[in-house]
Amino acid sequence: MTLLNLSWKNLSNKPLTMLLSLVLFALGVGLISFLLLVNHQISEKFEKNLAGIDLVIGAKGSPLQLILSSMYHIDAPTGNIPIKGVMPYLNPKNPFIKAAIPLSLGDSYRGYRIVGTTANFLELYEAKVRTGRSFKAVMEVLAGATAAQELGLKVGSTFQSSHGLIEDENLVHEGHAFKVVGIMKPTGASIDQLLLTPAQSIWEVHEHAGMGAAPAVEETEEAEHEHSDEEHAAEDSIAENHAENTEQVNQIALTNQEEDHQNDDEAPHDHAEEHRLKSILEYPDKEITALLLQFNGHNITTLNLQRMINQNTSMQAATPAIEITRLYSLMGVGQDALRWLAFIIMGVSGLSIFISLFSSLRDRRYELALMRTMGASPGKLFAMIIMEGLLLAVFGYIIGLLISHGGMELLAGEMKAAYRYTFTGRTFLVEEGYLLLGALAVGFVAAVIPAIQARNTDISETLAEG
Amino acid sequence: MLTTKQLQFSYTRNQVMNFPDFNLQKGEHWLLLGQSGSGKTTLLHLLGGLLSPTSGSIQIGNTELGQLRASALDQFRGKNIGIVFQKSHFVRALTIGENLALAQQLAGLKPNRERIIELLERLNIGDKLRLKPDRLSIGEQQRAAIARALINQAPIILADEPTSALDDHNATEVINLLEEQAKAQGSTLLVVTHDKRLKDRFPNQIAL
């Protein structure tokens, strides 16, 4: 009969009292562990989707909205920007920019977003094609793993997009069928939920559909073409005046103008009929929704770029890391409230352990005195009661973890529908190890006063009372 | 075996209890008689080391109780003194068998299952081994309490009113068993009581 055994028998002899303490304790532990799990997995997803993107350029509006819509695909886009405004960054020769990925958003198919982009979007998320191939021509679609599975898309499937990000039969772009040419391997990032197509597809759908409603991807007025160079040059010259690193801006502006002239030299193109993909640089008059940028290392130029764009252009630039940190601090308030609730439940469960041990001691006073007459030292009685507190804590902890991880598994399905993100209850966190230490501390503290009382049992007096 | 000298104890300053000196030899059976409130239980607690005397000495075998440190006293008591109380109490969460095993362990001995079974058989409650104490009748509980006092073959058995809660039949049986078993293992037995039914059973008597 070990001390542990004895403590366990004492507890299990009063199953109802034990149950109350256990349920409270498990609730507290479960809630904390659940918060840890959700928090950890959400931030993991967010970080995965950061994908090394240093800056996002888009239309003016809320920077957080820009980041959420263009990187996490969970909010409406802020609007569109003309390609000519971002030409310098799209140029592959720009020494400061490692990768620039244009995004055209605003259309969807049965709730899954269609993203008009270029092939290097895949590299950003290290996505691989599982079946078929990547898009090579207008109206070809490469589907994300989850999207393909949920929509039942296979290589060769065709579908018609609808305008906007929600399902609406009245907004279907009639006559323009997308064709699935490939399906990607799952990555765990938001790309799994997307339908990727060349940016040109989006323009084609919108130019020919003649939708009355204002699309997120607007047609560009041909008339504007005439002024574009002047406007752009003007923008660039403002940028020149304001930027601290004028040399770099000149360089960018120069490249930009060269590019524009090249475009002017070329014959006008009708991409609707021409299904071979040209570089997006060849469409300065078209619009995109956002541009994702990766820098070639960080220096003063890249540091100033965001401020320069925000101050001197009609576009905005946002840093994903900063916006996500801001989002966390916003979510943090709700999380803090829940965390406090969890700590209060833990405190109450500690109190319930204390009360149940304390009242059981009143019933067991004679037993304790008896144990003393049989040779038990005061220290042994102290240890026995402490052990009872710790046992309750350990069992409460185990049940709590079962609740939180089981609950997480059950909720994973609903979370997926709400956030389009997959969660799992089958991972354990280091923080849950600390939670065990915390649980043991609560058990110990709750038991310490009853244990001291047990240790101080006056044998003779107790026995004489009979 | 059990010797007291000028034993004094006081709960409060102006109320001092004096106890007679006595000297019990090994294997002797004694009856300590006294009315309620005469200090019988106090004396028994002093002898069992559950209380410390204000003055005087208690010697068990070669050991002077007053000279033992607290934890050594606990060990000594567990090993050398078996006590039967007026009302039998047990650790309620444990079965009779486990209670006896606990008594062995707390005295620092190894649990000996055979000894437990044999002792319960001798006391006629062998079938109660796996029952919790509250499933036993009062008579059976008192027998189990005797078993616990005897389990470690303590040289001294103290019994505090072991029969007062029992009817004539059970009282006779319990006192018979106590005497038999104490005799069987050569223990010194001291029964403290005001139960007149026991008066004629013991030739050796101390009166308070």
Side-chain angles (χ1 to χ4, degrees):
Chain A
M1 179 93 30
T2 60
L3 200 59
L4 190 68
N5 210 333
L6 186 59
S7 297
W8 165 243
K9 294 216 160 151
N10 277 329
L11 287 177
S12 56
N13 197 40
K14 292 260 170 81
L16 280 180
T17 319
M18 181 169 81
L19 193 70
L20 178 69
S21 302
L22 272 186
V23 164
L24 275 170
F25 206 89
L27 266 183
V29 170
L31 195 53
I32 292 175
S33 141
F34 188 75
L35 282 176
L36 287 173
L37 276 178
V38 171
N39 213 358
H40 177 82
Q41 296 195 25
I42 286 183
S43 43
E44 200 181 39
K45 301 276 171 191
F46 269 120
E47 262 141 47
K48 214 170 210 169
N49 284 320
L50 279 178
I53 295 167
D54 295 305
L55 200 64
V56 178
I57 304 173
K60 285 251 190 262
S62 146
L64 180 58
Q65 191 187 348
L66 176 63
I67 299 292
L68 288 179
S69 64
S70 60
M71 291 182 58
Y72 301 100
H73 304 277
I74 46 176
D75 202 353
T78 47
N80 283 338
I81 52 171
I83 288 182
K84 59 180 177 288
V86 291
M87 278 293 196
Y89 321 115
L90 276 167
N91 190 332
K93 288 177 195 141
N94 190 322
F96 297 99
I97 285 160
K98 190 165 127 201
I101 297 109
L103 298 180
S104 270
L105 307 172
D107 282 358
S108 64
Y109 171 54
R110 284 168 53 196
Y112 283 85
R113 296 178 179 215
I114 298 171
V115 177
T117 182
T118 54
N120 52 359
F121 187 72
L122 270 77
E123 289 156 28
L124 202 59
Y125 294 101
E126 289 165 2
K128 300 270 183 324
V129 175
R130 185 171 58 193
T131 49
R133 57 174 174 82
S134 184
F135 49 84
K136 282 183 185 153
V138 177
M139 302 311 285
E140 287 188 343
V141 166
L142 177 62
T146 315
Q149 195 191 342
E150 298 290 318
L151 295 170
L153 294 177
K154 298 200 168 54
V155 174
S157 306
T158 57
F159 61 87
Q160 289 183 329
S161 63
S162 67
H163 191 73
L165 300 174
I166 47 161
E167 217 176 324
D168 188 342
E169 279 180 21
N170 297 322
L171 292 173
V172 171
H173 295 297
E174 305 255 351
H176 293 271
F178 284 96
K179 189 180 174 199
V180 178
V181 296
I183 290 161
M184 285 179 276
K185 285 182 187 165
T187 61
S190 57
I191 190 173
D192 292 354
Q193 275 101 28
L194 301 179
L195 300 164
L196 305 180
T197 186
Q200 288 89 333
S201 309
I202 309 284
W203 302 330
E204 165 145 345
V205 167
H206 284 255
E207 275 167 26
H208 294 265
M211 292 293 305
V217 181
E218 287 275 8
E219 288 178 42
T220 355
E221 300 266 333
E222 285 298 316
E224 268 180 20
H225 197 184
E226 308 268 321
H227 308 286
S228 66
D229 280 4
E230 284 166 44
E231 272 174 19
H232 207 116
E235 269 177 16
D236 282 338
S237 67
I238 296 169
E240 218 173 305
N241 294 337
H242 287 261
E244 287 175 9
N245 192 337
T246 44
E247 197 186 324
Q248 146 68 359
V249 174
N250 279 337
Q251 200 179 339
I252 292 176
L254 264 172
T255 335
N256 188 14
Q257 272 156 6
E258 269 169 36
E259 211 62 56
D260 279 4
H261 288 306
Q262 265 176 22
N263 291 338
D264 287 344
D265 293 344
E266 272 178 37
H269 35 260
D270 189 0
H271 47 79
E273 277 150 37
E274 184 184 309
H275 280 244
R276 188 179 61 83
L277 282 181
K278 287 185 188 171
S279 161
I280 196 159
L281 284 165
E282 295 180 28
Y283 304 88
D285 314 318
K286 302 292 181 191
E287 293 190 324
I288 55 171
T289 313
L291 183 67
L292 310 178
L293 290 183
Q294 276 183 329
F295 294 143
N296 258 334
H298 293 265
N299 54 40
I300 192 81
T301 314
T302 57
L303 278 174
N304 282 327
L305 189 58
Q306 181 178 8
R307 194 159 53 96
M308 192 206 85
I309 290 171
N310 285 337
Q311 287 180 351
N312 303 327
T313 73
S314 56
M315 304 179 293
Q316 73 161 330
T319 308
I322 291 175
E323 295 308 317
I324 292 312
T325 311
R326 212 159 63 89
L327 181 65
Y328 281 158
S329 65
L330 290 175
M331 289 196 312
V333 179
Q335 289 231 340
D336 279 350
L338 275 177
R339 191 167 303 143
W340 279 111
L341 181 68
F343 283 131
I344 289 169
I345 294 177
M346 281 285 268
V348 171
S349 71
L351 194 66
S352 118
I353 292 179
F354 167 75
I355 291 171
S356 71
L357 285 181
F358 203 81
S359 66
S360 88
L361 275 197
R362 286 163 54 116
D363 294 343
R364 282 158 55 193
R365 259 158 36 93
Y366 204 99
E367 271 181 51
L368 293 172
L370 197 70
M371 284 177 68
R372 289 293 312 279
T373 68
M374 293 195 282
S377 64
K380 203 153 209 166
L381 298 190
F382 180 84
M384 182 178 81
I385 303 297
I386 289 288
M387 196 69 88
E388 290 179 21
L390 294 182
L391 266 178
L392 279 173
V394 168
F395 284 120
Y397 174 81
I398 292 172
I399 296 172
L401 283 206
L402 286 178
I403 291 174
S404 72
H405 286 258
M408 192 75 195
E409 260 318 81
L410 285 177
L411 279 177
E414 283 178 41
M415 294 265 203
K416 197 174 156 193
Y419 295 91
R420 286 281 152 77
Y421 283 144
T422 43
F423 288 88
T424 176
R426 283 174 225 162
T427 61
F428 289 86
L429 308 174
V430 187
E431 288 89 336
E432 289 177 317
Y434 299 131
L435 187 56
L436 175 61
L437 294 183
L440 290 176
V442 170
F444 181 85
V445 169
V448 85
I449 292 176
I452 289 173
Q453 240 204 349
R455 189 190 63 188
N456 295 344
T457 303
D458 187 319
I459 322 172
S460 170
E461 200 179 308
T462 311
L463 290 175
E465 282 168 17
Chain B
M1 190 66 212
L2 175 60
T3 312
T4 67
K5 279 197 189 106
Q6 288 156 1
L7 213 48
Q8 273 194 346
F9 184 81
S10 60
Y11 286 103
T12 56
R13 266 190 194 185
N14 42 19
Q15 195 193 354
V16 180
M17 289 187 237
N18 290 293
F19 298 104
D21 293 355
F22 49 83
N23 184 6
L24 315 186
Q25 296 303 310
K26 182 172 162 45
E28 283 182 347
H29 295 182
W30 284 75
L31 196 68
L32 184 74
L33 275 167
Q35 292 307 307
S36 304
S38 58
K40 295 193 302 292
T41 297
T42 304
L43 178 58
L44 186 120
H45 286 180
L46 288 171
L47 296 178
L50 308 178
L51 276 180
S52 299
T54 318
S55 66
S57 79
I58 300 160
Q59 204 178 348
I60 292 176
N62 296 320
T63 309
E64 180 66 47
L65 283 194
Q67 276 165 6
L68 290 176
R69 286 170 176 276
S71 60
L73 181 61
D74 289 328
Q75 280 281 314
F76 182 85
R77 177 169 57 233
K79 229 178 237 174
N80 298 291
I81 307 169
I83 310 177
V84 181
F85 296 100
Q86 179 171 4
K87 268 193 248 159
S88 47
H89 285 269
F90 298 88
V91 177
R92 275 168 290 177
L94 303 182
T95 65
I96 295 297
E98 287 167 341
N99 264 285
L100 293 185
L102 182 66
Q104 292 179 317
Q105 265 187 312
L106 288 178
L109 303 171
K110 274 201 172 163
N112 182 341
R113 206 177 152 74
E114 280 156 34
R115 161 95 180 133
I116 292 169
I117 293 171
E118 182 221 296
L119 188 58
L120 289 178
E121 293 288 347
R122 268 201 283 156
L123 292 170
N124 236 346
I125 46 170
D127 54 334
K128 312 295 183 202
L129 181 73
R130 285 187 189 81
L131 292 183
K132 294 259 176 85
D134 53 9
R135 300 283 306 279
L136 273 61
S137 73
I138 293 177
E140 288 165 344
Q141 283 184 17
Q142 198 59 296
R143 280 188 232 181
I146 292 171
R148 187 178 54 208
L150 294 168
I151 189 76
N152 293 333
Q153 298 184 294
I156 308 268
I157 307 292
L158 303 175
D160 186 10
E161 305 275 16
T163 56
S164 62
L166 303 177
D167 58 31
D168 287 354
H169 173 72
N170 273 312
T172 316
E173 206 162 355
V174 160
I175 206 69
N176 282 346
L177 282 170
L178 256 182
E179 281 212 280
E180 268 171 42
Q181 300 306 328
K183 198 170 180 181
Q185 57 190 46
S187 303
T188 306
L189 174 68
L190 178 64
V191 178
V192 176
T193 193
H194 70 279
D195 192 340
K196 298 212 165 57
R197 292 177 292 189
L198 303 182
K199 236 179 177 171
D200 306 327
R201 294 288 302 260
F202 293 85
N204 302 323
Q205 296 190 353
I206 307 163
L208 279 185

